[in-house]
């Protein structure tokens, strides 16, 4: 698990959201929002989590919450690879760009500088901060997948501290 550089941030989801993304997601939160955040807050590294399916009406903050959850997992390391799945590739790409905006926000970057920075290779080339993929300096990846595109065998190659390549599959959808 990554060490939080934000030790002064509230430990509860409501306080954390207010401190980090207060202008993006604001109370009052409905009971179903609280249920989603409590599910996400209970996720622990290396432990399977029960599935959570949210079937909410249009305009009920599904996307905003999913995007903020991706940022939270980038910050904490509780999950390392997210797939953002939408009906079309263009819509999925837009959501990945929204996640990039959250990661690049001043408040988030101040508390989580490695999660707010793009991953770069040995020679300084960016390893994923584009429309369909984000890869943070500390290893979190989010990919956009549209149901109108072909996607098979989704994985990302990560390098261990020993320098060995290993394939990592999504652990958050």
């Amino acid at each position: 698990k990554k060490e939080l550089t934000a030790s002064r941030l509230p430990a509860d989801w409501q306080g954390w959201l207010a401190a980090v993304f207060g202008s993006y997601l604001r109370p009052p939160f409905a009971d179903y929002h609280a249920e989603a955040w409590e599910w996400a807050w209970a996720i622990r590294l290396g432990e399977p989590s029960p599935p959570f399916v949210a079937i909410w009406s249009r305009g009920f903050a599904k996307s905003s919450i999913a995007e903020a959850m991706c940022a939270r997992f980038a910050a904490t390391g509780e999950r390392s690879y997210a797939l953002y799945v939408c009906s079309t590739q263009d819509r999925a790409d837009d959501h990945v760009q929204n996640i990039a905006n959250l990661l690049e926000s001043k408040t988030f970057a101040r508390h989580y500088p490695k999660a707010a920075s793009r991953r770069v290779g040995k020679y300084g080339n960016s390893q994923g901060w584009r429309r369909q993929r984000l890869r943070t300096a500390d290893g979190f990846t989010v990919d956009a997948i549209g149901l109108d595109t072909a996607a098979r065998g989704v994985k990302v190659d990560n390098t261990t501290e020993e320098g060995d390549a290993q394939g990592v599959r999504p652990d958050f959808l």
Side-chain angles (χ1 to χ4, degrees):
K1 181 175 178 175
K2 299 175 191 174
E3 284 298 313
L4 295 181
T5 59
S7 59
R8 293 183 300 244
L9 288 175
D12 64 300
W13 66 267
Q14 301 97 325
W16 184 84
L17 281 176
V20 179
F21 297 128
S23 62
Y24 191 67
L25 292 167
R26 295 182 294 281
F29 295 105
D31 291 343
Y32 50 86
H33 294 139
E35 183 182 3
W37 277 107
E38 288 166 9
W39 168 82
W41 221 253
I43 290 176
R44 298 290 173 255
L45 180 65
E47 296 177 15
S49 64
F52 183 86
V53 178
I55 303 173
W56 305 337
S57 297
R58 183 169 177 78
F60 280 56
K62 294 180 300 293
S63 298
S64 298
I65 288 173
E67 292 161 3
M69 283 180 184
C70 285
R72 171 68 181 167
F73 292 135
T76 65
E78 299 293 354
R79 291 293 180 257
S80 61
Y81 187 7
L83 280 184
Y84 204 107
V85 181
C86 285
S87 59
T88 67
Q89 187 65 49
D90 286 342
R91 290 184 68 205
D93 293 348
D94 288 344
H95 290 293
V96 168
Q97 287 305 296
N98 290 342
I99 295 165
N101 292 339
L102 292 175
L103 298 179
E104 293 171 344
S105 69
K106 284 183 183 180
T107 303
F108 186 88
R110 183 173 62 247
H111 292 296
Y112 307 104
K114 288 186 114 180
S117 301
R118 71 185 69 206
R119 185 179 183 117
V120 294
K122 182 177 179 179
Y123 301 105
N125 57 318
S126 176
Q127 291 188 334
W129 204 269
R130 56 187 189 273
R131 187 163 172 76
Q132 293 179 332
R133 172 175 277 180
L134 300 175
R135 295 190 77 191
T136 66
D138 56 358
F140 183 78
T141 301
V142 60
D143 277 336
I145 301 289
L147 296 177
D148 62 343
T149 60
R152 294 182 45 198
V154 178
K155 71 177 182 177
V156 66
D157 290 328
N158 278 338
T159 306
T160 65
E161 290 182 16
E162 295 79 30
D164 299 322
Q166 64 179 13
V168 176
R169 301 249 182 228
D171 56 6
F172 181 65
L173 301 172

